[in-house]
């Protein structure tokens, strides 16, 4: 294979220095209808406040996957080969949110937990009942609390701070987390030492993800 000669600085800038940024993304939680109804009866209206909560997502990750392999030795002398037999997906993705003044992000996910646990047939138990030692729960059926959740990664024109959606030759990536639901609400530390914005982290479990790349011009049309 021929070795390519040196590049001009201008060529390098035009070919490889237009790089994606980590801070330009959006999520869509999209709880299932049964959960939305439960949340509304308990003080959180997802249709009204959900988008604001999603914009408070301070940090997440784009999910990954790997291959499970078998090792085959000595089909060829001195060679060990690895053969793929299954694709494995990450099982959880963590989402960290800034907590709004009305604690609505906590109402969203804690209420979703309540629904999954079937508290009061999907309704939050009264304080009087919930604190009793012998209180018990009956879990709801998975199809009623699982949903497809979305992470959208896009870019913007740094020169004039416009969204990348204004340019026809750019792309966005949409990661669909299939059958997602909140698995773990991570403990949130609070302290008298210092005064920082309160953050709230939730681990969402899912079956697999689907990544779709689409050109912006196709989306707009």
């Amino acid at each position: 294979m021929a070795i390519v000669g040196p590049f001009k600085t201008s060529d390098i800038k035009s070919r490889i220095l237009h790089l994606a940024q980590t801070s330009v993304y959006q999520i869509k939680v999209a709880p299932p209808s049964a959960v939305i109804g439960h949340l509304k009866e308990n003080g959180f209206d997802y249709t009204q406040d959900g988008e604001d909560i999603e914009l408070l997502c301070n940090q997440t990750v784009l999910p990954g996957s790997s291959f499970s392999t078998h090792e085959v030795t000595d089909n060829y002398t001195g060679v060990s080969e690895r053969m793929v037999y299954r694709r494995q997906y990450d099982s959880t993705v963590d989402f960290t949110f800034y907590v709004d003044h009305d604690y609505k992000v906590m109402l969203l996910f804690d209420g979703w937990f309540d629904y999954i646990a079937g508290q009061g047939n999907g309704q939050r138990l009264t304080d009087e009942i919930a604190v009793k030692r012998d209180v018990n729960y009956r879990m709801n059926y998975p199809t009623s609390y699982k949903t497809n959740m979305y992470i959208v990664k896009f870019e913007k024109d740094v020169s004039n701070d416009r969204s990348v959606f204004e340019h026809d030759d750019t792309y966005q990536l949409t990661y669909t987390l299939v059958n997602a639901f909140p698995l773990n609400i991570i403990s949130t530390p609070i302290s008298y030492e210092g005064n920082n914005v309160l953050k709230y982290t939730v681990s969402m479990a899912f079956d697999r993800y689907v990544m779709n790349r689409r050109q912006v011009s196709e989306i707009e049309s």
Side-chain angles (χ1 to χ4, degrees):
M1 185 174 100
I3 304 299
V4 180
F7 289 101
K8 295 181 180 179
T9 302
S10 59
D11 290 338
I12 295 175
K13 288 182 178 180
S14 64
R15 294 177 65 175
I16 67 171
L17 293 185
H18 186 57
L19 303 177
Q21 304 299 305
T22 61
S23 60
V24 191
Y25 65 92
Q26 189 172 355
I27 70 166
K28 189 68 176 176
V29 178
S33 58
V35 174
I36 290 176
H38 165 74
L39 292 171
K40 191 169 185 178
E41 291 190 25
N42 289 281
F44 179 82
D45 188 348
Y46 175 79
T47 58
Q48 178 178 328
D49 299 319
E51 187 174 81
D52 291 344
I53 297 304
E54 291 157 356
L55 291 173
L56 289 173
C57 182
N58 161 256
Q59 180 176 309
T60 187
V61 298
L62 300 178
S65 63
S66 62
F67 286 124
S68 296
T69 62
H70 290 300
E71 187 170 294
V72 180
T73 304
D74 288 336
N75 273 355
Y76 301 95
T77 303
V79 174
S80 294
E81 299 176 274
R82 300 178 72 180
M83 309 293 186
V84 174
Y85 69 89
R86 180 176 296 166
R87 181 176 180 176
Q88 302 279 8
Y89 293 89
D90 287 351
S91 59
T92 62
V93 167
D94 288 350
F95 294 85
T96 299
F97 296 84
Y98 292 123
V99 178
D100 58 294
H101 186 269
D102 296 324
Y103 305 107
K104 289 181 179 179
V105 64
M106 294 182 171
L107 291 177
L108 169 57
F109 290 104
D110 197 68
W112 199 337
F113 257 67
D114 286 344
Y115 178 82
I116 293 172
Q119 295 188 22
N121 193 26
Q123 302 306 314
R124 179 181 290 275
L125 298 177
T126 64
D127 291 341
E128 182 181 352
I129 297 174
V131 298
K132 289 185 175 181
R133 185 170 58 182
D134 59 350
V135 68
N136 58 81
Y137 311 123
R138 182 176 180 179
M139 304 299 142
N140 273 303
Y141 198 70
T143 54
S144 70
Y145 61 74
K146 290 186 176 184
T147 188
N148 288 348
M149 187 174 177
Y150 306 90
I151 304 172
V152 181
K153 181 69 189 74
F154 54 92
E155 299 305 315
K156 67 180 180 180
D157 185 348
V158 179
S159 63
N160 54 23
D161 200 35
R162 291 183 304 170
S163 168
V164 76
F165 292 112
E166 299 179 21
H167 303 276
D168 291 337
D169 59 345
T170 54
Y171 295 86
Q172 76 169 41
L173 298 180
T174 300
Y175 287 78
T176 303
L177 308 183
V178 179
N179 289 333
F181 67 96
L183 179 67
N184 183 26
I185 296 174
I186 297 173
S187 301
T188 303
I190 53 177
S191 172
Y192 282 120
E193 296 182 8
N195 187 25
N196 299 308
V197 175
L198 187 63
K199 295 180 182 179
Y200 184 84
T201 301
V202 179
S203 291
M204 299 292 292
F206 61 99
D207 294 345
R208 66 184 189 281
Y209 71 84
V210 178
M211 190 270 282
N212 182 28
R213 187 184 82 152
R214 295 185 63 186
Q215 195 164 11
V216 169
S217 57
E218 295 176 357
I219 299 170
E220 293 178 339
S221 61

